[in-house]
Amino acid sequence: SQQGEEDPQALSIQEGENATMNCSYKTSINNLQWYRQNSGRGLVHLILIRSNEREKHSGRLRVTLDTSKKSSSLLITASRAADTASYFCATVFGNQFYFGTGTSLTVIP
Amino acid sequence: GAGVSQTPSNKVTEKGKYVELRCDPISGHTALYWYRQSLGQGPEFLIYFQGTGAADDSGLPNDRFFAVRPEGSVSTLKIQRTERGDSAVYLCASSLGTSGRNTQYFGPGTRLTVL
């Protein structure tokens, strides 16, 4: 399968703590994107990191990419209850998007 | 502005029936993608369109699945002789172009249940 794999599958933390999710993939990529999905909703784009970038920030989000290890991580700092959702990485090669299996994050108020 | 919309939001059908799922992309978005998402899984790529043509349909599971986008805007995913295994949420996404650098904007999905 060309899908990425996220770990952990599920993560539960207290509000204010940091949450780290990891994504591993198998194929070459042009870029890697992270998306968020609230229950029963469509996915929402969070951040994109290109294959020649190693780290990117957006607000409370920090993404790293290690193409030699074919892995990426998403860090959410100072988590809030509203961050509760599923998070997916998508590896992009050409025009094809391959989504991982997702990490379900629960932030306890 | 209006986002991607999908209709119906829920569809229940019987095994063997034909269904059509509709996607209205964001105006001006030339690329349109269909995905299928099973419970606890990530979206699985089915097909994408650039304009009116299907640029890549390699994700369609078999010939019971077909999609069209006749005028380069609205798209319809058609499933013939539905099977229980087709039950899933079908997601549509659109983007400005087919470059992988473009952000995909997702609709809320159609939940298909085949009894």
Side-chain angles (χ1 to χ4, degrees):
Chain A
S1 169
Q2 292 169 292
Q3 267 195 336
E5 295 281 336
E6 280 97 333
D7 87 276
Q9 288 188 335
L11 178 61
S12 184
I13 59 174
Q14 294 288 331
E15 198 165 32
E17 295 180 337
N18 297 340
T20 299
M21 292 159 255
N22 303 295
C23 168
S24 59
Y25 58 93
K26 298 176 184 175
T27 61
S28 299
I29 63 170
N30 295 132
N31 66 73
L32 186 145
Q33 303 182 20
W34 284 89
Y35 286 77
R36 162 197 169 123
Q37 184 177 38
N38 286 74
S39 180
R41 302 282 187 93
L43 282 75
V44 175
H45 178 264
L46 294 176
I47 193 166
L48 178 156
I49 185 165
R50 299 179 184 180
S51 60
N52 62 353
E53 296 177 314
R54 292 296 167 257
E55 187 171 315
K56 203 156 182 185
H57 297 254
S58 176
R60 294 185 294 113
L61 304 180
R62 173 179 169 250
V63 170
T64 62
L65 178 64
D66 186 335
T67 52
S68 66
K69 294 181 180 177
K70 290 187 164 54
S71 68
S72 173
S73 67
L74 171 68
L75 168 69
I76 303 174
T77 60
S79 64
R80 304 167 182 169
D83 294 329
T84 295
S86 291
Y87 292 81
F88 296 90
C89 68
T91 53
V92 184
F93 187 75
N95 299 306
Q96 291 212 341
F97 285 67
Y98 296 101
F99 285 85
T101 51
T103 292
S104 177
L105 173 66
T106 301
V107 181
I108 302 166
Chain B
V4 178
S5 62
Q6 292 185 246
T7 55
S9 55
N10 280 284
K11 176 71 177 178
V12 180
T13 190
E14 294 179 342
K15 180 172 178 256
K17 299 290 187 183
Y18 167 83
V19 296
E20 289 190 353
L21 311 179
R22 176 187 167 110
C23 172
D24 281 83
I26 292 173
S27 178
H29 281 193
T30 59
L32 186 148
Y33 293 75
W34 282 100
Y35 296 89
R36 177 168 71 176
Q37 186 175 26
S38 300
L39 190 64
Q41 299 294 315
E44 173 193 2
F45 169 79
L46 296 177
I47 184 171
Y48 95 84
F49 291 86
Q50 168 59 20
T52 60
D56 185 344
D57 65 358
S58 62
L60 294 177
N62 52 59
D63 61 6
R64 295 186 298 105
F65 288 74
F66 189 71
V68 296
R69 194 186 185 199
E71 297 178 359
S73 178
V74 171
S75 177
T76 305
L77 178 66
K78 308 180 180 192
I79 310 175
Q80 298 177 320
R81 305 183 302 281
T82 52
E83 299 176 356
R84 292 195 179 89
D86 298 335
S87 296
V89 175
Y90 288 81
L91 295 167
C92 174
S94 70
S95 66
L96 274 171
T98 55
S99 166
R101 290 196 295 273
N102 287 309
T103 299
Q104 294 202 343
Y105 294 84
F106 281 81
T110 292
R111 181 176 298 279
L112 175 66
T113 303
V114 182
L115 301 176

